[in-house]
Amino acid sequence: TAKIFNVNRNEFMGNVAHELRTPIFAIQLSLETLLDGAINDEKVNVDFITRAFNQTKRLKELVDDLITISKFETGVKMSKRYFGIYNTIHKIIDELNALAEIKNVSIEFNPTEAVDVSVFGDEERLKQVLVNLIDNAVKYTPKNGSVKISLDVKEKEVIVNIEDNGIGIPKKDLPRIFERFYRVDKTRSRDVGGSGLGLSIVKHILEAHSSQIRVESEENKGTRFEFNLKR
């Protein structure tokens, strides 16, 4: 067990170093270019400053996610209570609509029977889950595609479904997508951003709510994530 733990720890530290190196190198390169004279060139100086700024945002996102993972693995306390799942999802859709509109991706959510349904859990943590899954669905869905969110209301639970008609996930990768830093396609992931920790955080949060995340996907047809919450 100690040997396995040591290998996992070393692998994790290697992944962290690799993920940190990329934005740090990009920031360094942009700043060096500016110091070498580009700062006086009005045609390119704003471009290099913007590149550096965007990489600092990526760096912050990675560090924030690392802190979140660390908290869960050392035993973070949940603040659970009843809250309206319908309103929470609507707020998230409002926040993500700007990204969806840029790609002309529609986000559909109209569950009439779930308007007044409450679920039990940590609203802020579960909001992280929903933001991550819906944001990923939008990012990995081509232009003019759609993302559908539905709630299946049962007597003692609510099943949340998030489905897209995007690029999908290869069958061989499905068992590993919740691993820390695992990327289905490194080039594709780099294009859309993200820390590589999002789905791992989703898994941790749902396990703390005695729930499990389930996924079905087919390449070039779409992906569906599903999890249940107690009523």
Side-chain angles (χ1 to χ4, degrees), residues 74-220:
T74 54
V76 66
K77 289 184 178 180
M78 292 283 170
S79 178
K80 294 180 180 178
R81 61 181 180 83
Y82 284 99
F83 67 94
I85 185 71
Y86 179 88
N87 289 334
T88 299
I89 292 176
H90 258 296
K91 288 176 185 176
I92 292 168
I93 292 171
D94 287 341
E95 293 171 8
L96 297 177
N97 255 335
L99 172 64
E101 287 173 1
I102 290 172
K103 297 185 66 179
N104 199 26
V105 170
S106 64
I107 303 178
E108 302 172 21
F109 177 60
N110 298 296
T112 53
E113 79 272 17
V115 175
D116 299 319
V117 170
S118 292
V119 295
F120 185 72
D122 187 320
E123 184 176 8
E124 286 305 309
R125 294 297 184 184
L126 290 172
K127 184 177 178 182
Q128 275 184 274
V129 169
L130 290 161
V131 167
N132 189 290
L133 294 176
I134 299 170
D135 183 56
N136 277 355
V138 172
K139 285 178 178 176
Y140 290 113
T141 297
K143 287 186 178 181
N144 305 313
S146 65
V147 175
K148 296 179 181 178
I149 305 161
S150 63
L151 300 176
D152 187 5
V153 182
K154 305 290 186 181
E155 184 180 353
K156 294 183 179 181
E157 65 178 7
V158 174
I159 299 172
V160 182
N161 285 282
I162 297 163
E163 187 175 359
D164 65 64
N165 59 356
I167 58 178
I169 302 166
K171 190 175 181 180
K172 65 180 178 64
D173 293 302
L174 282 174
R176 300 193 62 190
I177 61 171
F178 298 103
E179 293 178 14
R180 295 174 301 189
F181 294 117
Y182 187 80
R183 297 180 186 273
V184 173
D185 183 330
K186 289 181 173 60
T187 304
R188 183 178 68 180
S189 297
R190 196 180 301 118
D191 291 340
V192 299
S195 67
L197 292 167
L199 288 179
S200 181
I201 291 172
V202 163
K203 183 172 179 283
H204 276 292
I205 293 173
L206 290 176
E207 285 178 348
H209 285 80
S210 301
S211 179
Q212 287 187 331
I213 183 79
R214 298 172 290 277
V215 58
E216 295 177 0
S217 187
E218 192 172 342
E219 283 189 271
N220 302 315

Side-chain angles (χ1 to χ4, degrees), residues 1-11:
T1 302
K3 285 181 179 178
I4 291 170
F5 174 78
N6 207 35
V7 169
N8 289 342
R9 183 183 65 182
N10 290 339
E11 183 182 350

